[in-house]
Amino acid sequence: MTLPMIMSCGMYYSLPGLRDLCHAVKSRNDDAFTDAAEWLSRVIDKYNLEGYSVIPIPNHSGRAEYTLEILKRLRRLRSIRICNILVGTAHATQYDAKKAGTKLSLNDYGFELRGDIPFNRAILFDNVIGSGNTYFSAMKTIGFETSLLTLAQTHSTSYYVNQWSKFE
């Protein structure tokens, strides 16, 4: 089975409760981590992702923090392997960069690999995909195209397919 580029719980702005859940996760709300894992467990089931290796994308701190915590809770519900092998440099959040009228570049993320890449059945994970730049930068760093598991997406998957084809 070929996986779609983006596998999410739904659309950020239109699925009731999803936007609030994403904000609560970023605020490091303990209950939100558990709720996020439960929402994601349904995506794991839908796409038959048990047994996959999931690589959390680092937060703006340069480390996988809330993304890693969600995956730890998801691992209690479904059989996944967490591969915390991607690190980056601390950088502005996408939201802050957008407010400032700037855009983060590939160099701003400073992504590096710190471990072996699980080529077989590996996917990336982030809490939300907006512009796609964080996801695309992570794919460039790991060196191969792979799907993204995410709580929410702000655009259709076809939008991200199109953006990836233009990504530099």
Side-chain angles (χ1 to χ4, degrees), residues 1 3 7 37 40-54 74-82 120-123 149:
M1 174 174 124
L3 297 175
M7 297 172 291
L40 288 164
S41 70
R42 294 187 286 272
V43 179
I44 295 291
D45 293 344
K46 178 179 179 179
Y47 293 103
N48 195 26
L49 298 175
E50 293 236 20
Y52 271 72
S53 296
V54 185
L74 180 59
R75 185 174 55 195
R76 295 178 197 158
L77 302 172
R78 298 294 181 270
S79 177
I80 60 166
R81 180 174 168 231
I82 301 170
N120 189 22
R121 295 166 43 110
I123 56 175
L149 173 65

Side-chain angles (χ1 to χ4, degrees), residues 115-131:
D116 295 330
I117 302 170
F119 284 102
N120 189 22
R121 295 166 43 110
I123 56 175
L124 289 162
F125 171 71
D126 205 353
N127 62 316
V128 176
I129 181 171
S131 67

Side-chain angles (χ1 to χ4, degrees), residues 140-161:
K140 287 258 188 206
T141 302
I142 65 172
F144 63 96
E145 291 183 14
T146 190
S147 297
L148 177 73
L149 173 65
T150 185
L151 278 172
Q153 60 191 84
T154 60
H155 302 285
S156 68
T157 299
S158 60
Y159 168 85
Y160 296 112
V161 170

